[in-house]
Amino acid sequence: MNTPRSGPASGRVSPAAAILTFLTLAAASGGCGSRPATPILKTTGPPVVEGTLTRTPIRFSTTEHAVRPTVIDAEEGRLRVPERHADPDGRRIEVHFVRFTSTADRPGPPIVYLAGGPGGSGTWSSSGDRFALFQQMRQVADVIAYDQRGTWGTEPYMVCPGTWSYPLDRPWEEETLRGVVAPFLKECAGHWGESADLSAYNTVESAEDLEALRVALGAEKLNLWGTSYGTHLAMAYIRAHPDRVHRAVLAGIEGPDHTYKLPARIDEVLRRVDEAIRADQRTQAAAPDFLGSLEKLVGQLEREPVTVRVENPKTGEVVSVVVGAGDLRRAIYSVLGEREDIELLLERGLPMLKGDFSGLALLALQQRLGRRELVMSLSMDCASGATEARREAIRSQQKTALLGDQNVWLNAACSQWPAKDLGDAYRSPVEATVPVLFISGSLDVRTPQENAEDVLPGFPNGHHLVIEGGSHDDDLFLSSPEIAETIVAFLRGEQPRERIVLDPLRFKLP
């Protein structure tokens, strides 16, 4: 999981039971799940300096808030790389990693984990609920929890000063958002632009960081293990250095031209969820036409947004929040992020169909106030951009898509942010003979399974594993023990399976 651009708020919530669990939805700005508590890296010996690489023995603990944290020996690494690789004598920055030594008698090439987001931390991921998976991968090779340039653990780690807030007296819409974030982003760019080249925080430069890491480690090749945006970075590295990749496992595919989401693909996932509702007699009876009712509700809120009085969980103050169709679409998109959230869809959605918008208003309140932004996230996505063909497809599809255009944040932020577009050559299909295992969830709205089908033609040695009933984030790794088994087997050179079927969704009802 990854570092969200703006983490969900926390604190005391309204006592109304009908709205409580709605607040567990992922932040709608696109982050992939919530981060665990801070990992603990305790130095156990002197650092060893090898050119631009510094290696330090450590004791690695899972998280600072764990009741019984797991503690193991590991190695912390810091690597100095050029901010601009075309200027090796210019300013240098630092990337960071934690290496877990292989348990194999004859380890293969090191496995480098590339977190999603963009903005996620490999170190955070390895210390949370994926810790056991990281340790399982040690059966094959050393496993490196890698922190990409600009993320937690690296230098510089650039977080925009201050926060921004969306007005409570207007429904969520792109035009208003553009005006709200423009001065905030201008101030942020001015603040960090004095000490850093913000346009250097793009996926091409980050891919060259990976190559510098490979050289520093003395490895002939790397095994790449990426998720979500991490797959985007992995494909950039494969394009640039195909002879340096042994194998790759890419889960939740974001190809070169997938940064901006297609509305039709998001709606297709929503239809699959509706099919799951209708396949269960219990939920079909409770919501005989959920999708049709949702469509009517979207139309109602487009025509007439509603004002709802809710308690601010941070201050205890009762405030008025105006919510409209954009807020509803944003909330539904958020709840489709993982199976455990999807199973709450009816419990939290059916009250709205009966006119109770308190849950939606409280979610909107928390999503709108005190938003923080990470420079790396802004720069990476805005530089990757989209082809004109994809933008035209989005414009066409959003006219009829039930959940509309979920690229509102990118549209607003990238129109203001000083990123240099990487161009259509960067967004062209990747072609390589590298063996790749692509993993998709059939219910993934963020990186739909069709994304993998888009990129597969360029990989003659590619394989596609579909997790039937899986969504994004942990679903792509932890929803079945067969997933880890398949990954390990593939990295050992075995033929992977093509499908893993999860148990049917168990929707909760109000």
Side-chain angles (χ1 to χ4, degrees):
M1 214 181 125
N2 313 325
T3 307
R5 295 187 185 91
S6 304
S10 62
R12 185 171 60 89
V13 296
S14 166
I19 63 180
L20 197 57
T21 312
F22 222 122
L23 303 179
T24 64
L25 306 185
S29 55
C32 300
S34 58
R35 303 190 307 181
T38 308
I40 303 171
L41 314 179
K42 184 177 180 180
T43 300
T44 58
V48 176
V49 179
E50 301 170 345
T52 57
L53 175 64
T54 300
R55 298 184 296 110
T56 306
I58 62 170
R59 294 285 281 171
F60 179 91
S61 299
T62 46
T63 69
E64 65 179 5
H65 294 159
V67 176
R68 289 193 180 96
T70 302
V71 181
I72 63 171
D73 290 321
E75 178 184 79
E76 183 178 26
R78 296 187 178 276
L79 178 66
R80 304 289 290 176
V81 297
E83 188 173 48
R84 285 279 184 189
H85 285 272
D87 183 15
D89 298 324
R91 181 174 183 263
R92 286 190 169 257
I93 61 176
E94 187 177 84
V95 294
H96 174 263
F97 64 88
V98 170
R99 175 159 64 177
F100 304 103
T101 305
S102 177
T103 59
D105 293 333
R106 299 180 63 184
I111 301 167
V112 181
Y113 175 81
L114 306 175
S121 158
T123 303
W124 283 91
S125 296
S126 68
S127 67
D129 51 7
R130 293 183 195 167
F131 173 78
L133 179 58
F134 273 76
Q135 302 313 305
Q136 190 170 351
M137 302 278 270
R138 295 170 64 198
Q139 300 173 27
V140 178
D142 289 358
V143 181
I144 295 174
Y146 179 62
D147 297 319
Q148 305 157 31
R149 62 166 56 194
T151 63
W152 180 90
T154 67
E155 178 61 40
Y157 177 47
M158 297 178 288
V159 179
C160 292
T163 62
W164 65 271
S165 295
Y166 191 93
L168 299 182
D169 60 353
R170 302 188 66 174
W172 178 261
E173 55 189 6
E174 184 177 321
E175 184 178 355
T176 301
L177 181 63
R178 284 176 183 263
V180 168
V181 299
F184 172 84
L185 295 177
K186 181 178 180 180
E187 180 183 356
C188 179
H191 175 84
W192 286 112
E194 296 177 359
S195 58
D197 180 357
L198 302 186
S199 65
Y201 290 79
N202 63 58
T203 305
V204 169
E205 295 290 347
S206 191
E208 292 310 308
D209 294 345
L210 269 179
E211 175 62 5
L213 175 65
R214 181 196 66 78
V215 172
L217 294 174
E220 182 182 352
K221 292 188 177 185
L222 300 174
N223 281 308
L224 301 180
W225 172 26
T227 180
S228 198
Y229 168 77
T231 71
H232 189 81
L233 172 56
M235 280 186 268
Y237 183 79
I238 291 171
R239 188 201 298 273
H241 304 283
D243 58 333
R244 296 303 183 184
V245 182
H246 180 246
R247 286 176 173 259
V249 176
L250 306 182
I253 310 307
E254 184 181 314
D257 197 21
H258 289 156
T259 300
Y260 283 70
K261 315 305 179 188
L262 290 177
R265 289 186 175 176
I266 294 172
D267 267 23
E268 176 58 32
V269 172
L270 185 59
R271 280 191 287 272
R272 292 172 190 158
V273 172
D274 187 57
E275 290 174 2
I277 293 172
R278 289 186 281 109
D280 185 330
Q281 290 185 350
R282 179 182 58 94
T283 53
Q284 201 275 337
D289 185 19
F290 180 75
L291 213 55
S293 300
L294 183 61
E295 186 173 11
K296 292 178 181 178
L297 186 59
V298 168
Q300 173 187 324
L301 291 176
E302 278 183 335
R303 294 188 298 272
E304 188 176 356
V306 298
T307 301
V308 185
R309 298 278 287 172
V310 293
E311 179 184 310
N312 186 325
K314 287 188 175 182
T315 66
E317 178 187 7
V318 177
V319 297
S320 295
V321 182
V322 176
V323 292
D327 296 282
L328 177 58
R329 287 168 164 151
R330 191 182 184 205
I332 297 298
Y333 179 76
S334 295
V335 85
L336 297 177
E338 286 189 78
R339 277 175 64 90
E340 63 182 9
D341 290 332
I342 294 174
E343 291 180 332
L344 301 174
L345 180 61
L346 296 181
E347 183 181 33
R348 308 311 165 195
L350 290 179
M352 286 191 291
L353 299 180
K354 298 179 180 179
D356 180 2
F357 295 102
S358 54
L360 180 62
L362 186 53
L363 176 62
L365 171 71
Q366 295 203 338
Q367 288 181 330
R368 292 182 189 186
L369 301 182
R371 308 296 289 179
R372 303 193 69 86
E373 303 300 335
L374 181 64
V375 167
M376 180 269 196
S377 299
L378 291 161
S379 292
M380 292 288 176
D381 273 347
C382 294
S384 292
T387 60
E388 181 53 35
R390 192 167 184 88
R391 293 182 187 276
E392 177 54 37
I394 292 170
R395 286 192 290 267
S396 175
Q397 293 174 14
Q398 71 179 10
K399 297 175 183 177
T400 56
L402 178 54
L403 294 191
D405 183 7
Q406 291 299 320
N407 301 294
V408 170
W409 167 253
L410 286 180
N411 293 337
C414 294
S415 67
Q416 312 289 336
W417 191 250
K420 183 178 180 181
D421 188 278
L422 291 174
D424 283 355
Y426 168 82
R427 291 183 282 268
S428 64
V430 179
E431 297 181 354
T433 58
V434 175
V436 180
L437 173 61
F438 298 99
I439 303 175
S440 302
S442 65
L443 302 182
D444 186 348
V445 290
R446 285 159 178 74
T447 53
Q449 66 181 52
E450 291 83 0
N451 286 9
E453 296 166 6
D454 289 345
V455 302
L456 265 171
F459 292 85
N461 294 316
H463 307 269
H464 190 196
L465 169 62
V466 177
I467 313 298
E468 289 285 356
S471 183
H472 197 61
D473 199 35
D474 280 345
D475 285 0
L476 300 174
F477 294 129
L478 306 182
S479 57
S480 167
E482 294 178 332
I483 301 173
E485 294 167 4
T486 301
I487 292 173
V488 169
F490 173 76
L491 290 174
R492 286 175 169 164
E494 300 174 21
Q495 188 77 5
R497 66 192 76 193
E498 297 181 353
R499 195 164 300 271
I500 293 174
V501 180
L502 304 181
D503 291 338
L505 291 167
R506 294 294 298 170
F507 293 96
K508 297 181 180 179
L509 296 175

